[in-house]
Amino acid sequence: MKGKFLSICILFLAISVYSQDSKTLITINKEKISVADFKRVYEKNLDAIDNEEAKDIHKNLDLYINYLLKVKEAYKIKLDTLPSYKREIATYKNQLAAPYLQDTTFIADLVKEIYFRTKNEIKAKHILIRTSKDAMPKDTLIAYNKILGIRNRIVNGESFEKLAVETSEDRSAKGDAKRGVPGNKGNLGYFKAFQMVTSFEDVAFTTKVGKVSMPFRTQYGYHILKVDDLRPSKGEIEAAHILIKDTTNASKVKIDKVYKRLLNNESFEKLANLFSDDIGSKARGGKLNKFGTGRMVKEFEDAAFSLQNIGDYSKPFKTRFGWHIVKLLRKHPIKSFAEMEKELRKKIKRSSRMQMSEKAIINKLKSTYNIIEFESAKQILNQKNIRSISKDSLQNIILSINNKQITQEEFVNYTRNRRHKPIFVLFEMFKDKEILAYYKENLVNTEPEYAYTLKEYEDGLLLFELMQQKIWMKSSKDSLGLKSYFNNNKAKYNSQELKSVKGEVMNDYQNYLEEKWIADLREKNKIKVHKKQLKKLINYYKD
C-alpha cells in the first residue's frame, strides 16, 4: 500500500511540475511567456555556475526580461528583414537540419554492412556495355538488352572471360598490345569497401560466389559481374621496394646483383637509394604508402602479402613495370568494429552513400505525406519546348505536399539549368527535392529541439545586430558623449586624462548606455510577472 501511495505521489508531482511549466510566468504587452521558456534558459548553464548569487531567480528573471525586450525591439525595427541576416539564417538552417536528414537506423545498418565489406574482400570479374548518364530511354534499353544477351550466353555455358575480351567496353579487358599491356579478361582481382563505385560494390557483395549478377547500371553504363571468391581481408601493409624499370635480361642481371648484396646483409634502404628507378620512393629507402589488396598489380600484391615477418624481403620478381624486390615493413590487420565504427561513419558521410540515407528519409516521408500529382498539369512534360512556355501559362498546380501547393512554373524553373536529363527524370528529382524542402520547413513544428535551437540562434543574431547599432557603434562614434561621461565620473578612474584609460571608460560608457536603453524599453512596454508562478518556481529550485 505504501509503495502504491508513493507511486501516486511521484506521479502527482510529475504532473504538477509539467502543469506549472505550461503556465504563464511573464506577460509582455499581450505576449505570454511560459515557466518552461524561462526554465530552459535558466537551466542551460546552471551546472557551470558556482556562485549562489548568480543563480538567484529574481536576478536571472530580470536579465531574461531584458533579453526579451531587446529581441522584441529587433523585430520591431525589422532587423530580421536585412539580407545579411536572411543569408546567415538560411545557412544555419541547412547546417542545423543536416542530422534530421539522415536515417539513423539506415546508417547504423550501413556501418555494419560496410564493416563486413572491410573485414572481407571479394574477387570478381565484369563485362561493361557503356551508356552515358543522360542517355535517352531507347538507348539505355538497347544497352540493357545487349548485356542481358551476353549474360544469357554465359549462363548457357560460354566462358565469361572469353566474352569479356570479345564484348566488354572496358578497355582493360582486352589490354593494349601496342604498349605491351595484357588484357585482364574482365578480372578485377580482390576488392573491399570504398574501392569501387557504390552500386558496383553493392551488387558484388550481394551476389553469391560462382553466380552471375543480373545487369545493373553505374555511371559508366550497364554491367554484369561474376563473383569468384569471398575471403577474410588481408588488411593493409607498409612495404618498401627496389625497382629496375626494364623487363629485359640485362635488368634481370642487375636486380640479381642487388639481391645478392641484400643476402650479404647490405642495407635495403641504402640499395634502394642507389639502384631503384622509382623516383618517388628511392629517397625514402624505397618506402611506399600503406596499401591493401586491389591497389597494386597482381604480381606485386602477391609478393608483398606473401611475406610473413617484418623485415622479410622477396626474391626478384617481374611485373609489367620491371623487376622488383619488396620488403615488408609493417602489417595493419583489420581492427575491431568498435575501433573502426567512428572512422567508417566519417567515410560514409563523405561518400555518395549519404544520398542513400537521404533517399531512405524521402521514401519514409512519401508514405506519411499526402502527395498529389495533378495529371492534367503534368501534360506540359510532353511538350518539347517546355522551357519556352510563358510564365502566365504555368500557374496551374502540378504537385501538392500536404497543404503546400507547387506550380508548373516552379518545376520549369528547376529544369532550366538541368538540360542533361530527360524531363520525366527531372520531375521525379524535383518531387524529391520538394518533399525534402517541405520536411525541412516543417521541422520547427515536428522537432522541438530543432525549433528551440533555431529560435535561440535567430534571436542571438538579431541581438548582436541590435547591440551593434544601439550601443557599440553609437559609443565608438559618440566622442562628445564619451568625454562627458568621463568628466562626470573622474572619481572612478586613476587618471585625469581620458586617453590613458579610454578602454575602461568605453566599456563603462557602453554599460551606461545599455542601462538607459533598457530602462526606456521597460518604460515603453507593459510587463507583468505572475507572482504565484514565480513563488512556485523559487520553491522548485530550493528543493
Side-chain angles (χ1 to χ4, degrees):
M1 186 68 187
K2 184 179 177 181
K4 186 176 180 182
F5 176 74
L6 186 61
S7 298
I8 291 169
C9 288
I10 291 169
L11 179 62
F12 179 74
L13 179 63
I15 292 169
S16 298
V17 170
Y18 177 82
S19 61
Q20 197 217 346
D21 278 6
S22 62
K23 298 285 186 181
T24 300
L25 178 63
I26 312 160
T27 305
I28 300 178
N29 302 328
K30 292 182 180 180
E31 184 184 352
K32 294 179 179 180
I33 296 94
S34 72
V35 173
D37 292 331
F38 172 73
K39 281 176 70 178
R40 181 178 176 82
V41 174
Y42 177 68
E43 291 176 1
K44 191 169 185 182
N45 298 311
L46 197 58
D47 291 338
I49 300 171
D50 55 7
N51 182 347
E52 286 303 316
E53 188 181 347
K55 293 181 181 180
D56 182 76
I57 296 287
H58 288 97
K59 286 188 176 180
N60 279 278
L61 190 60
D62 276 343
L63 290 171
Y64 183 55
I65 290 169
N66 293 346
Y67 170 81
L68 293 173
L69 290 171
K70 290 175 187 175
V71 171
K72 284 177 73 67
E73 184 69 10
Y75 280 108
K76 185 179 177 182
I77 62 175
K78 297 189 167 103
L79 290 182
D80 59 315
T81 63
L82 292 173
S84 57
Y85 172 82
K86 288 182 174 180
R87 284 195 300 270
E88 183 75 23
I89 290 300
T91 301
Y92 184 71
K93 274 184 175 179
N94 283 332
Q95 293 170 352
L96 189 60
Y100 296 93
L101 303 180
Q102 298 171 12
D103 187 317
T104 52
T105 304
F106 175 86
I107 292 174
D109 291 341
L110 183 57
V111 172
K112 290 175 186 174
E113 181 62 36
I114 295 300
Y115 179 69
F116 175 85
R117 298 179 188 183
T118 303
K119 194 176 179 181
N120 297 280
E121 52 193 21
I122 204 160
K123 185 182 181 186
K125 46 184 172 260
H126 85 128
I127 292 171
L128 167 67
I129 299 300
R130 292 189 179 276
T131 54
S132 63
K133 288 189 287 186
D134 55 344
M136 296 299 290
K138 65 176 183 179
D139 297 321
T140 59
L141 183 61
I142 290 169
Y144 179 86
N145 286 334
K146 184 176 180 180
I147 203 158
L148 185 61
I150 296 167
R151 181 185 185 275
N152 290 338
R153 289 170 65 184
I154 294 165
V155 170
N156 289 328
E158 290 192 55
S159 163
F160 193 109
E161 293 183 340
K162 175 176 171 289
L163 286 175
V165 172
E166 290 177 9
T167 65
S168 183
E169 294 173 10
D170 178 352
R171 284 177 292 184
S172 68
K174 296 179 180 65
D176 188 338
K178 290 181 181 178
R179 293 168 57 205
V181 178
N184 62 21
K185 301 179 181 179
N187 287 297
L188 300 169
Y190 284 93
F191 58 90
K192 51 182 184 279
F194 300 111
Q195 291 184 332
M196 299 288 180
V197 293
T198 300
S199 50
F200 194 97
E201 178 192 308
D202 287 342
V203 175
F205 274 93
T206 52
T207 301
K208 292 180 179 178
V209 174
K211 298 294 183 182
V212 180
S213 74
M214 288 298 290
F216 63 96
R217 193 171 182 180
T218 71
Q219 65 210 59
Y220 304 106
Y222 278 105
H223 308 251
I224 53 172
L225 63 78
K226 183 178 181 182
V227 174
D228 292 330
D229 190 25
L230 176 70
R231 71 181 185 192
S233 172
K234 294 184 177 182
E236 294 180 309
I237 59 172
E238 290 178 43
H241 81 138
I242 297 167
L243 167 67
I244 305 300
K245 271 189 179 178
D246 196 349
T247 56
T248 63
N249 287 333
S251 299
K252 175 69 166 70
V253 170
K254 188 175 179 181
I255 198 80
D256 284 343
K257 285 181 179 179
V258 174
Y259 182 65
K260 189 174 181 181
R261 291 175 70 168
L262 280 171
L263 294 176
N264 288 327
N265 295 321
E266 288 195 50
S267 163
F268 189 98
E269 290 72 22
K270 178 185 171 185
L271 292 170
N273 189 264
L274 286 172
F275 297 107
S276 183
D277 292 330
D278 182 356
I279 304 299
S281 71
K282 67 180 295 179
R284 296 181 294 157
K287 186 177 179 182
L288 300 164
N289 293 328
K290 184 169 64 173
F291 62 91
T293 52
R295 296 284 295 278
M296 300 291 186
V297 291
K298 186 178 185 303
E299 300 88 349
F300 191 96
E301 181 184 299
D302 289 347
F305 277 94
S306 67
L307 299 172
Q308 296 300 310
N309 303 306
I310 305 302
D312 286 354
Y313 50 83
S314 70
K315 291 180 179 180
F317 63 93
K318 187 170 72 170
T319 72
R320 68 174 183 264
F321 300 106
W323 289 93
H324 308 255
I325 302 169
V326 62
K327 178 183 177 181
L328 179 62
L329 301 178
R330 193 175 177 187
K331 290 185 175 183
H332 295 271
I334 299 298
K335 298 174 185 174
S336 68
F337 178 76
E339 291 173 303
M340 289 198 72
E341 184 178 8
K342 192 173 180 181
E343 177 191 344
L344 291 176
R345 281 182 179 274
K346 283 182 181 177
K347 281 187 174 181
I348 287 167
K349 284 181 180 179
R350 292 195 299 264
S351 74
S352 60
R353 286 174 170 87
M354 282 311 295
Q355 295 174 3
M356 295 162 61
S357 174
E358 188 175 283
K359 190 68 179 173
I361 288 281
I362 291 169
N363 289 338
K364 282 185 180 180
L365 295 175
K366 283 179 178 178
S367 65
T368 56
Y369 287 171
N370 180 26
I371 300 167
I372 301 172
E373 297 176 25
F374 293 86
E375 295 302 325
S376 58
K378 277 180 66 181
Q379 291 303 310
I380 61 166
L381 272 64
N382 298 317
Q383 297 189 31
K384 290 183 179 179
N385 62 340
I386 184 171
R387 296 175 183 88
S388 304
I389 301 173
S390 69
K391 179 180 173 180
D392 293 341
S393 302
L394 293 171
Q395 298 312 307
N396 291 326
I397 306 302
I398 197 170
L399 179 69
S400 72
I401 304 165
N402 291 347
N403 58 345
K404 182 182 180 181
Q405 295 185 328
I406 299 142
T407 65
Q408 296 164 313
E409 183 187 0
E410 291 171 83
F411 169 62
V412 172
N413 287 339
Y414 174 81
T415 70
R416 292 200 189 282
N417 296 318
R418 295 177 173 86
R419 296 173 183 267
H420 61 291
K421 290 186 182 293
I423 204 74
F424 286 93
V425 172
L426 287 175
F427 182 78
E428 291 304 313
M429 290 169 60
F430 175 73
K431 182 169 69 173
D432 285 355
K433 179 188 82 73
E434 289 297 324
I435 290 168
L436 212 53
Y438 179 85
Y439 173 66
K440 286 165 71 175
E441 290 162 10
N442 206 41
L443 279 172
V444 290
N445 303 314
T446 59
E447 299 291 342
E449 193 60 36
Y450 171 89
Y452 285 132
T453 307
L454 179 61
K455 181 65 176 162
E456 268 184 7
Y457 190 82
E458 288 174 339
D459 291 352
L461 202 60
L462 286 174
L463 202 56
F464 179 85
E465 183 63 36
L466 186 68
M467 292 296 287
Q468 188 89 336
Q469 289 186 16
K470 294 286 186 180
I471 307 297
W472 303 326
M473 285 178 65
K474 184 178 177 181
S475 63
S476 65
K477 291 179 180 178
D478 185 11
S479 54
L480 288 176
L482 183 66
K483 190 172 181 181
S484 174
Y485 177 81
F486 173 70
N487 289 332
N488 291 335
N489 295 276
K490 274 187 180 179
K492 289 173 59 178
Y493 306 106
N494 294 324
S495 173
Q496 294 298 307
E497 295 293 326
L498 174 59
K499 63 182 179 182
S500 61
V501 286
K502 190 172 181 180
E504 186 183 354
V505 177
M506 177 70 78
N507 185 65
D508 290 344
Y509 183 50
Q510 287 177 350
N511 290 336
Y512 165 74
L513 289 176
E514 187 174 355
E515 285 169 10
K516 277 186 65 180
W517 177 45
I518 290 294
D520 182 54
L521 289 175
R522 282 180 172 265
E523 186 69 29
K524 289 194 297 186
N525 291 277
K526 189 176 179 181
I527 303 160
K528 181 183 176 182
V529 176
H530 297 261
K531 294 180 179 178
K532 184 178 177 182
Q533 299 306 324
L534 177 59
K535 187 177 178 180
K536 284 184 180 180
L537 194 63
I538 292 168
N539 290 333
Y540 172 78
Y541 285 109
K542 273 183 182 177
D543 297 338

